[in-house]
Amino acid sequence: MTINVSRRGFMIGSATGTAALLVGLNAKGVLAADSGTEAVTTDLNPFVKIDADGTVTVIIKHFEMGQGTTTGLTTLVAEELDADWDTVQTAFAPADNERYANLFFHAQGTGGSTSIANSFMQYREAGAAARDLLVRAAAQSWGVDASSITVENGMLKSGGNSGHFGEFIAIASTLEAVEKPTIKTPDQFKLIGSEKLHRKDNTNKTDGTAIFAMDVNLPGMIYAAIMRSPKFGGTVVSFDDSGAKDVAGFIAAQVLPNKAGVVAFGKNTWSAFQARDALSVEWDFSQAETRSTDAMIADHKAMLDAPQFDANHEVPLASVEPLLANASKTIDAEFTFPFLAHAPLEPENCIIEPTENGVRLHDGCQFPTLTRPMVAAALGLEPSQVEIRTLYAGGSFGRRANGASDYNVEAAMAFAVSGRKVPVKLVWSREDDIRGGYYRPMAVHRAKIGLDSDGKIVGWDHRLAVKSIMKGGPMEGMIQDGIDPTSVEGVTESLYTIPNHGIGLSDFQTPTPVLWWRSVGHTHTGYVMETLMDMLATETGQDPIEMRLAMLDPAGANQARMIEAIKLVREISGWEKGDKRGFAAHLSFNTCVAVVADVTVEDTTVHVNKLFMAVECGVAVNPDVIRAQMEGGAGYSLSAVFRNEITLTDGEVDQFNFPDYELLRNAEMPAIEVAIVQSNNAPTGVGEPGVPPTAPAVANAIFAKTGKRITDLPMTKAGFDFV
């Protein structure tokens, strides 16, 4: 791999010693060690590499898209190993499901805010095993008792003896690793929970030496851009490339094997884009989406009248109807949510090149277990013939982890029709992704809450229509009784004690591709539930926080955690009964987040002044990363709900780029104060849980100021401008 010097300005290389110690889990889940020479055993699953010069490299099984995995996983190893934090390095793991599977997914992949949660003990034990091996090796080398040896900052000491890690790897690699190494207790932590650790990717992302797939430049490489159907589900009938032949640098154009588009090849990205845009393509739209947004919303709403599934088997909707009919009062609301684009700052791209055995991908690959077989199938290869070199990714928010591995497979198809002789770099433009990518599903909710004469809930009828993300994909096995859990999560999993809570679900059908979007179903269910809770508090004259606390059973583990988060945010925000501010709290990805929003409203102009956020996420491995993820999640949420939407006219997306799918501006970003609940619970996720409660907290604050409920998103539909 060579680096685009014109962009980065200089090259960066790294060297390692000729011998190394590798420590990890073998195929049976037992800790093992090896010398790291050519005799490395095939069943080794290494997480820790120590070179002869003492350099420690942590093998990162979860890719880095900005969420902090290179820092978090390295912290776990370095803590138990007592390594020198400043010199510990990182390297991304190769594609190998047996060795590097996400323990929650049983597949190699990053997502669902699981990186630290599934790796917490695995990486700590790998670090502890490496430390134990080195201590025993040093004891053997020095002829001392192992108990006399101390380890600190990558150095071992006993009496007058001292040496760095690398001096003992030869002996350490001959020893048998203990099956269950001793790990530290929380009171012994030096790095876990530290407020002072710098992120491992900070420096190279700041000075430009970090390498993303967009930066890779291989000898002889050609570039590819694809003309895709303007309507989802359209296929190619024919094309004319006569206009493309006038573009300097144009090489050729070919129909993709799946007929989903026409690929144009060029000598650089610009010529590929220009040639692609000069193509004339005839499309078959017989199976394509041809509806406009208003019609799709109407079709969603029609499905609410007769839901397909009872998502709460214990309380069928039919049993709730008579309770509501006899209620003293009801609260009624309907919510609509638009399609949303992921809009990562680095659009999809990857490079595929031929190797002696098959092909190699250079990619910010989020889910190698999905990508390898999909690329292999497109090329008629075995998955073992597909090598993946994972690089940094410039964001994802779920976009890169789709079950079809769309951009990877497109690159493979482009490589196939190019002749398979030279590397091919496929690049999506921003317009390609906004107009033809994957989206957060459109969703519509309708709820009716029945109250008795004392204001107590007697029944709750909750209905929603949304396209399933799971059905027809690689995770379809998670569906039970026809119900996609990602469609109803946040409603079915509500922590509140709600009597007679009936939940009806309908699967909307459309060729428009949908995908998990940062916090998945919680993006709409969290907004609905927390807006309804605020409506309930208003109707019954209760303080929004006190009412929620009363509806949480402290005997429940997650309820107790949420109570802690709510009390903490109340404390840091100085919330008092009667506040004209907004509150929301939500559990997602096993993490509790509570938010207080302070807004200013002048006529129709809204500014979010400050957000107070409290998070209970178990052991806080990297507090600074947790705060950054809460802040980033809040900003991502506000960016979406303020004004973002993907709309369709006759099946074609109206938006094209950031001018009309506008991200949050600096002036619109509020001050954010994040407090972390002190906890010794196992770590939970932080990449996504900041998103769901932020928007309803702001919406509830707008109601507190104006008396206006916002139930149709984006908020601009309610007539508000945001500054």
Side-chain angles (χ1 to χ4, degrees), residues 433-593:
D433 198 32
I434 296 292
R435 286 179 166 169
Y438 282 76
Y439 305 101
R440 193 281 303 271
M442 175 185 286
V444 174
H445 291 239
R446 182 184 298 158
K448 176 176 285 190
I449 305 170
L451 306 176
D452 64 16
S453 57
D454 294 325
K456 303 293 185 183
I457 297 173
V458 296
W460 185 311
D461 181 313
H462 196 133
R463 307 176 182 208
L464 63 157
V466 61
K467 182 179 179 180
S468 169
I469 295 172
M470 296 289 195
K471 290 183 178 179
M475 296 186 181
E476 194 167 23
M478 295 180 62
I479 294 173
Q480 294 184 357
D481 300 321
I483 299 169
D484 182 341
T486 68
S487 296
V488 293
E489 60 186 2
V491 180
T492 55
E493 302 165 3
S494 174
L495 297 181
Y496 300 119
T497 301
I498 300 175
N500 304 311
H501 191 188
I503 304 167
L505 169 68
S506 294
D507 289 336
F508 184 72
Q509 301 298 318
T510 174
T512 305
V514 299
L515 188 61
W516 27 74
W517 185 93
R518 192 173 185 178
S519 77
V520 201
H522 296 283
T523 63
H524 53 94
T525 62
Y527 188 93
V528 172
M529 289 300 295
E530 286 305 296
T531 301
L532 290 171
M533 291 296 290
D534 202 66
M535 294 173 71
L536 179 62
T538 300
E539 185 64 39
T540 57
Q542 299 181 73
D543 175 73
I545 289 182
E546 287 298 330
M547 185 195 74
R548 285 172 173 84
L549 289 173
M551 293 178 67
L552 291 168
D553 182 357
N558 283 333
Q559 286 85 345
R561 295 172 60 217
M562 181 60 83
I563 289 171
E564 291 297 313
I566 291 175
K567 288 182 176 179
L568 181 57
V569 83
R570 180 172 62 181
E571 177 185 340
I572 66 171
S573 67
W575 176 282
E576 295 181 355
K577 185 175 182 179
D579 262 2
K580 295 295 184 180
R581 293 189 286 178
F583 174 79
H586 194 73
L587 169 77
S588 64
F589 305 93
N590 207 28
T591 291
C592 299
V593 179

Side-chain angles (χ1 to χ4, degrees), residues 61-317:
K61 73 175 187 178
H62 296 291
F63 93 140
E64 175 71 73
M65 53 183 158
Q67 80 279 34
T69 53
T70 49
T71 301
L73 298 179
T74 302
T75 301
L76 301 177
V77 168
E79 176 68 79
E80 299 293 347
L81 184 56
D82 284 307
D84 179 1
W85 176 258
D86 291 334
T87 62
V88 175
Q89 300 180 358
T90 65
F92 291 118
D96 188 332
N97 188 63
E98 182 179 354
R99 300 179 178 186
Y100 296 109
N102 183 312
L103 301 180
F104 293 168
F105 300 159
H106 306 294
Q108 188 177 1
T110 305
S113 299
T114 61
S115 294
I116 295 298
N118 89 94
S119 303
F120 185 61
M121 295 305 297
Q122 187 181 49
Y123 272 68
R124 288 181 64 193
E125 288 183 352
R131 185 186 189 280
D132 176 76
L133 286 167
L134 293 168
V135 167
R136 284 190 281 140
Q140 182 175 320
S141 176
W142 293 334
V144 300
D145 191 279
S147 63
S148 71
I149 297 176
T150 60
V151 186
E152 187 175 6
N153 291 330
M155 297 291 294
L156 297 98
K157 297 180 180 179
S158 176
N161 300 305
S162 67
H164 62 69
F165 288 166
E167 296 177 44
F168 307 101
I169 61 173
I171 296 176
S173 64
T174 68
L175 304 176
E176 183 176 349
V178 295
E179 184 172 343
K180 197 71 175 175
T182 301
I183 60 173
K184 293 181 179 180
T185 55
D187 61 293
Q188 296 174 308
F189 290 162
K190 298 178 181 178
L191 300 179
I192 293 176
S194 172
E195 299 277 0
K196 300 179 180 179
L197 294 187
H198 62 83
R199 280 182 60 137
K200 279 297 176 183
D201 56 344
N202 269 357
T203 300
N204 57 6
K205 285 183 176 179
T206 301
D207 65 18
T209 57
I211 304 302
F212 298 77
M214 195 70 83
D215 301 316
V216 177
N217 203 355
L218 302 177
M221 186 170 74
I222 61 174
Y223 295 77
I226 295 174
M227 174 70 78
R228 300 173 185 86
S229 171
K231 299 180 192 291
F232 296 105
T235 55
V236 177
V237 175
S238 63
F239 78 95
D240 180 356
D241 66 354
S242 56
K245 292 176 180 178
D246 295 330
V247 175
F250 170 65
I251 297 173
Q254 296 281 348
V255 178
L256 292 177
N258 64 356
K259 299 187 182 301
V262 180
V263 58
F265 296 99
K267 294 181 179 179
N268 51 55
T269 306
W270 182 247
S271 63
F273 281 164
Q274 292 296 100
R276 185 268 311 272
D277 293 344
L279 296 173
S280 177
V281 182
E282 181 184 354
W283 301 96
D284 176 2
F285 295 134
S286 61
Q287 302 299 313
E289 177 61 79
T290 58
R291 288 172 291 185
S292 296
T293 293
D294 288 347
M296 297 177 82
I297 291 175
D299 289 344
H300 277 79
K301 290 184 177 181
M303 300 184 82
L304 299 178
D305 295 332
Q308 294 172 288
F309 309 103
D310 271 313
N312 184 354
H313 299 309
E314 297 180 0
V315 185
L317 278 176

Side-chain angles (χ1 to χ4, degrees), residues 522 526-527 530 582-586 593-597 599 608 611-613 629-639 641-642 664 669-670 672 688-701 715:
H522 296 283
Y527 188 93
E530 286 305 296
F583 174 79
H586 194 73
V593 179
V595 181
V596 169
V599 307
V608 183
L611 297 176
F612 300 88
M613 306 181 75
Q629 287 301 294
M630 290 297 111
E631 294 165 355
Y636 195 75
S637 177
L638 294 177
S639 186
V641 301
F642 277 178
L664 197 69
M669 187 68 182
I672 300 179
E688 297 166 277
V691 175
T694 296
V698 170
N700 292 339
M715 292 182 176

Side-chain angles (χ1 to χ4, degrees), residues 342-343 345 636 639 643-644 658 661-665 668:
H342 298 77
L345 291 184
Y636 195 75
S639 186
R643 61 179 70 87
N644 284 169
F658 287 151
Y661 193 84
E662 190 176 356
L663 302 186
L664 197 69
R665 303 300 179 92
E668 296 166 336

Side-chain angles (χ1 to χ4, degrees), residues 351-369:
I351 299 90
I352 185 167
E353 64 169 325
T355 64
E356 290 184 5
N357 183 50
V359 296
R360 178 183 299 118
L361 264 69
H362 302 262
D363 180 35
C365 189
Q366 186 165 352
F367 230 107
T369 296

